[in-house]
Amino acid sequence: MTGADFLQLDPSGVPSGGLATWLTAALRDAVTDGRLVVGARVPASRTLAAQLGISRGVVVEAYQRLTDEGLLSARSGGGTRVSAAPGAVRRLGPATRPPTPDLDLSPGVPDLSAFPRAAWAKASREVLAEIGSADLGYGDPRGVPVLREALAVWLGRTRGITVSPDEILVVNGVAQGLVLLARWLEERGRTRIGFEEPGSYGVRVHLQRWGMTTVPVPVDGDGLDVAALEASGVDAVVATPAHQFPTGVVLAPRRRRELVEWARAAPHRLVIEDDYDAEHRYDRPPVSAVKVLAPDRVVHLGSVSKTLAPAMRLGWLIAPADLQEELVEARYWLDLASPALPQVTLARMLASGAFERHLRLVRLRHQARRDALLEALTEHLPAARIQGVAAGLHVLATLPDGVDDTAVAAVALEAGIGVHPLSRHREGDGPPGLVIGYAATSPDRLREAVRRLAPLIS
Ligand SMILES: Cc1ncc(COP(=O)(O)O)c(C=O)c1O
């Protein structure tokens, strides 16, 4: 490897598993300190890869991550250019949105074809017929009372959380809850936040965009390593205890207790529980939320993104009592409140049982899809170790050492198949793997995707 004149990039000494992260950081730094100005063109991925002596997939992955962050944009026929400096508002237009592959097995999306259109339409009609004019004014920033009442019942029954409707803040998805919390922490000078390693790339970048420095805390077969959390010195952590993203591990009972002990061991410590897909469970016993164990130290976040659809932008935040008022006020000054009609409609779906019926139906459909994916992986990719199959909407396929998962995902994308390289969801090094979402794809298409993917892995 000889390095490139472009930004004097030199990959020597960077382990192959960490190349994409290294290159992403190097390019981001160059945009931040002005060596690459807005409008500047970056070399074609093939050219830069050749100069650096690394695989093209690594360069494609780094460009993709920076495109996701809003710093680069690909123009048709015009190469890839710097589109914004860090901190600038990201504009997601058709030009910056990543191409949608023909077979998109990206994780995080439920079976959207099963969206309960008829039940939602029926509930909406009923709501419109019954809702009073007064309910169409500026409402409570915490959300419409009837939804908070329905959620209190639902979360008690399905997540074990004892909560009064007054303690629930309706938000536009887990994402908005994270923004409110990041701002709250930042205003108090608390900008270092523990984050699972591996952990969701999207959530990590989101926190970083809102001023947080994420501190990686390793995850093992029992979930978040609480001893490492203690050693990290942070006083807040974002975790996915019910179904760790992306490994699918459930936080073990001993670790749950340790996490609560960690939270109670010093003042102001906070656990942010991202309960993003806890409703999807197939062949493992239910686990309750960590919020149940320490209501005074845990902020619980959930949404209907993985049960109904991400486009709903409807979720909930349940904070410890001493944070509630400040978060409600922050929410009010952010955008006053969430739209009322979808809230009342969801409340009706919850109260009538339509939501639960939908969940039962999609659980069966998701399970059939997961089984089809597992069968295909066993047949076509026997060298992969499959994890996280008992719950959720995706699996993690760990690949043999030495495989470059970034390059595999880039080649797969060129072949029309979308999967995430595990290394995208990590800040440091680790074994290679693919995060494969199955819920949004029919069994036949899943089989086809794996059949086409397998020969690309070497
Ligand atoms: C782990 C994780 N947390 C949070 C989110 C965001 O959820 P929401 O749509 O509720 O904002 C996602 C989205 O994919 C996710 O994967």
Side-chain angles (χ1 to χ4, degrees):
M1 291 182 192
T2 52
D5 290 334
F6 176 65
L7 300 174
Q8 296 79 57
L9 293 169
D10 181 4
S12 50
V14 181
S16 62
L19 279 168
T21 302
W22 162 77
L23 184 57
T24 308
L27 293 171
R28 193 190 295 113
D29 287 350
V31 176
T32 309
D33 63 24
R35 279 174 294 150
L36 276 179
V37 294
V38 173
R41 200 166 161 165
V42 295
S45 54
R46 202 179 296 279
T47 309
L48 187 57
Q51 287 174 357
L52 295 174
I54 62 180
S55 92
R56 182 172 165 231
V58 167
V59 182
V60 170
E61 170 68 14
Y63 284 5
Q64 185 60 57
R65 290 188 197 181
L66 293 165
T67 302
D68 288 348
E69 292 177 29
L71 299 188
L72 293 183
S73 70
R75 312 251 166 90
S76 52
T80 301
R81 291 174 192 271
V82 178
S83 51
V89 177
R90 178 183 182 197
R91 267 207 300 269
L92 249 193
T96 55
R97 198 172 289 144
T100 308
D102 168 37
L103 281 163
D104 193 1
L105 274 54
S106 301
V109 186
D111 180 358
L112 299 176
S113 68
F115 184 84
R117 290 170 191 252
W120 189 267
K122 178 170 177 284
S124 297
R125 270 196 310 275
E126 291 167 0
V127 164
L128 283 170
E130 289 168 20
I131 197 166
S133 307
D135 293 326
L136 298 173
Y138 292 103
D140 190 323
R142 290 173 298 179
V144 172
V146 71
L147 176 59
R148 290 186 281 114
E149 281 157 23
L151 283 173
V153 174
W154 175 254
L155 293 171
R157 202 151 67 78
T158 60
R159 307 298 300 123
I161 299 173
T162 310
V163 61
S164 106
D166 288 349
E167 295 172 298
I168 299 177
L169 173 60
V170 175
V171 286
N172 297 339
V174 169
Q176 190 183 45
L178 291 169
V179 170
L180 288 171
L181 291 162
R183 291 200 52 176
W184 186 88
L185 288 166
E186 197 201 15
E187 280 165 10
R188 282 150 189 81
R190 296 163 62 179
T191 52
R192 290 177 79 242
I193 193 163
F195 197 72
E196 291 169 330
E197 170 82 348
S200 163
Y201 164 74
V203 173
R204 172 162 35 96
V205 172
H206 207 160
L207 291 167
Q208 291 167 349
R209 294 287 294 210
W210 287 91
M212 295 288 104
T213 300
T214 51
V215 177
V217 181
V219 167
D220 61 21
D222 285 336
L224 188 78
D225 180 343
V226 181
L229 174 64
E230 174 71 47
S232 75
V234 298
D235 61 6
V237 63
V238 177
T240 48
H243 184 242
Q244 204 274 329
F245 188 94
T247 62
V249 168
V250 182
L251 191 65
R254 185 174 51 84
R255 287 281 174 81
R256 293 173 156 248
R257 285 195 298 277
E258 287 172 8
L259 184 59
V260 169
E261 281 161 20
W262 171 84
R264 292 203 196 285
H268 308 309
R269 283 188 176 172
L270 208 58
V271 175
I272 298 171
E273 175 174 42
D274 177 357
D275 210 39
Y276 68 107
D277 74 353
E279 299 86 353
H280 301 293
R281 174 180 65 75
Y282 315 109
D283 23 41
R284 68 151 216 227
V287 286
S288 60
V290 169
K291 174 78 177 167
V292 177
L293 301 176
D296 55 330
R297 292 298 172 130
V298 178
V299 183
H300 179 86
L301 288 166
S303 80
V304 296
S305 291
K306 318 291 167 172
T307 48
L308 291 175
M312 299 298 296
R313 308 313 308 138
L314 202 45
W316 45 90
L317 180 158
I318 306 168
D322 53 343
L323 263 75
Q324 281 165 15
E325 222 169 281
E326 284 162 348
L327 289 173
V328 172
E329 192 178 341
R331 172 63 206 271
Y332 177 77
W333 290 112
L334 187 65
D335 62 352
L336 308 189
S338 288
L341 289 176
Q343 291 186 60
V344 186
T345 307
L346 177 61
R348 189 161 279 255
M349 298 270 296
L350 283 164
S352 70
F355 184 81
E356 194 164 8
R357 277 195 294 283
H358 169 68
L359 217 48
R360 277 203 298 273
L361 174 89
V362 282
R363 194 177 276 175
L364 289 176
R365 288 171 68 99
H366 288 163
Q367 193 166 359
R369 290 169 178 213
R370 180 205 62 171
D371 292 347
L373 175 68
L374 292 180
E375 255 176 58
L377 288 170
T378 310
E379 183 181 344
H380 297 289
L381 257 183
R385 194 166 65 87
I386 313 299
Q387 282 172 258
V389 300
L393 306 173
H394 68 269
V395 299
L396 171 61
T398 310
L399 301 174
D401 279 347
V403 174
D404 181 344
D405 59 6
T406 302
V408 169
V411 173
L413 191 60
E414 278 185 2
I417 304 160
V419 287
H420 284 190
L422 175 57
S423 47
R424 182 181 299 172
H425 297 287
R426 236 187 349 236
E427 291 201 66
D429 287 332
L434 296 176
V435 187
I436 308 177
Y438 51 79
T441 309
S442 71
D444 281 351
R445 301 270 289 161
L446 284 167
R447 288 186 202 101
E448 183 193 339
V450 175
R451 200 165 20 80
R452 278 167 48 186
L453 180 67
L456 308 176
I457 298 173
S458 55

